[in-house]
Amino acid sequence: MGKLLLYGMHFIAIAFALRIIDIVFTLKIINICSILFYSGVVLVLLNFIFSLMFRYKRAIMVKPLKDEKICVAVTAYNDELSIGGAVKDFRQIPFVNEVIVVDNNCKDRTIEFAKKEGANIVVEEVQGYGAACMRGLKEASKRGDIIVLVEGDGTFSARDLNKFVSYLENADMVVGTRTTRELSSADCQMSWFIQYGNIFMAKLIQLVYFDTRLTDIGCTYRIIRKEALDKIIGQLKVTSNHFSCEMILIALKNKLKIIEIPITFRKRIGESKGVGGNMWRGLKTGFRMWWLILRI
């Protein structure tokens, strides 16, 4: 039902955009604009009617954690400046059983420093952020009951795991949000463009899945139960920067319960290989996220 609202909003937006173009260039396409606009209005109204008719509430999920093994998967690509500190940070958490570093074809001393701090190493030859994340999730699920996914660039804090674990008692997956400015350092890579781009894409997802609150779909830091991961791991395909969005969409499609929590976000150590603060790369990744939201 949520797709009706999503498509309706797109039709209305396209109608307004075409009308502006029509006024500027006098193309005389007002009929097309009207058809798109009123089609969008109809879809939005139908969506609200259906949502009122078939509205439901899920029961509160309560699954306390007991003696589950927690395994942290850290993605790494030429992160020699930060990986040692990241591994050490997570290994110091008492309830973390193991830290795995995913070597995504590192050409520097990343793996040397990761091993020095006690991490186990797995190699992912397919280049790409998503490929490294999927390999980390798969390897961690073989060794733990609770899987943590994080990047090795020093932006995330292991201390936030306490919050993740607390909320996991009421969810299948807990994801972090970097859009809480009070918890982000002033020099972090979360520019206004990246922040509001993530918020916008997150709200598009909410148009489809009403009972989920999201503000950031590009945050790597997340924790998931093994049984929940087993339901979706075979459906994950994206190997590039919009993987985080795909994982959330696939989880929601499979009716997993997701809770988003604010996390601390620090300045990246070393050079960014993903979106970083680059507006062009952000637009490219955002377009791919938008296309995923329409398709899935």
Side-chain angles (χ1 to χ4, degrees), residues 232-250:
I232 66 172
I233 192 66
Q235 301 172 53
L236 302 176
K237 307 296 180 185
V238 171
T239 59
S240 54
N241 290 334
H242 53 304
F243 167 82
S244 293
C245 176
E246 183 198 38
M247 186 177 177
I248 290 174
L249 284 168
I250 295 296

Side-chain angles (χ1 to χ4, degrees), residues 76-233:
Y77 176 60
N78 295 339
D79 289 312
E80 65 178 8
L81 297 177
S82 59
I83 196 66
V87 171
K88 184 179 180 180
D89 197 21
F90 281 95
R91 279 182 53 81
Q92 287 178 340
I93 302 298
F95 50 79
V96 169
N97 297 91
E98 184 177 357
V99 175
I100 298 171
V101 169
V102 181
D103 174 8
N104 196 206
N105 305 307
C106 297
K107 297 176 177 63
D108 57 6
R109 301 175 68 189
T110 295
I111 302 310
E112 176 188 338
F113 293 140
K115 287 181 178 178
K116 185 177 179 181
E117 294 298 336
N120 292 317
I121 310 299
V122 296
V123 178
E124 176 51 59
E125 295 181 353
V126 177
Q127 192 65 49
Y129 163 75
C133 288
M134 284 187 279
R135 183 59 185 275
L137 290 169
K138 290 175 183 177
E139 292 296 329
S141 68
K142 297 175 184 177
R143 314 180 194 201
D145 307 300
I146 305 297
I147 296 92
V148 180
L149 182 63
V150 70
E151 291 179 71
D153 58 7
T155 53
F156 300 118
S157 171
R159 291 178 61 85
D160 282 333
L161 267 184
N162 293 293
K163 293 186 286 187
F164 278 96
V165 171
S166 295
Y167 279 94
L168 194 63
E169 291 194 348
N170 303 116
D172 296 299
M173 180 167 74
V174 181
V175 297
T177 175
R178 304 159 296 171
T179 59
T180 305
R181 297 302 295 176
E182 294 87 347
L183 297 179
S184 297
S185 63
D187 54 358
C188 74
Q189 64 195 43
M190 183 61 76
S191 65
W192 68 267
F193 177 76
I194 301 300
Q195 179 179 6
Y196 288 107
N198 269 286
I199 293 173
F200 176 75
M201 291 297 170
K203 296 311 172 183
L204 284 185
I205 294 178
Q206 278 191 236
L207 292 178
V208 183
Y209 300 98
F210 299 107
D211 56 345
T212 298
R213 181 190 59 82
L214 295 169
T215 60
D216 185 2
I217 58 172
C219 181
T220 305
Y221 205 171
R222 57 195 59 188
I223 183 170
I224 185 170
R225 296 174 181 271
K226 175 180 168 54
E227 62 267 25
L229 180 61
D230 289 342
K231 293 179 181 178
I232 66 172
I233 192 66

Side-chain angles (χ1 to χ4, degrees), residues 1-12 39-51 54 204 207-210 293-294:
M1 290 186 295
K3 282 291 180 78
L4 289 177
L5 181 57
L6 182 64
Y7 294 147
M9 297 298 288
H10 275 80
F11 284 172
I12 292 171
S39 297
V41 170
V42 169
L43 288 175
V44 170
L45 290 175
L46 284 174
N47 182 83
F48 281 121
I49 292 170
F50 288 151
S51 63
F54 301 104
L204 284 185
L207 292 178
V208 183
Y209 300 98
F210 299 107
I293 295 167
L294 286 179

Side-chain angles (χ1 to χ4, degrees), residues 50-90:
F50 288 151
S51 63
L52 289 173
M53 290 173 62
F54 301 104
R55 190 178 181 185
Y56 72 97
K57 289 184 178 181
R58 285 195 284 183
I60 296 175
M61 177 178 171
V62 181
K63 293 178 68 175
L65 304 181
K66 297 178 182 178
D67 299 317
E68 287 86 350
K69 292 182 178 179
I70 297 180
C71 184
V72 180
V74 185
T75 62
Y77 176 60
N78 295 339
D79 289 312
E80 65 178 8
L81 297 177
S82 59
I83 196 66
V87 171
K88 184 179 180 180
D89 197 21
F90 281 95

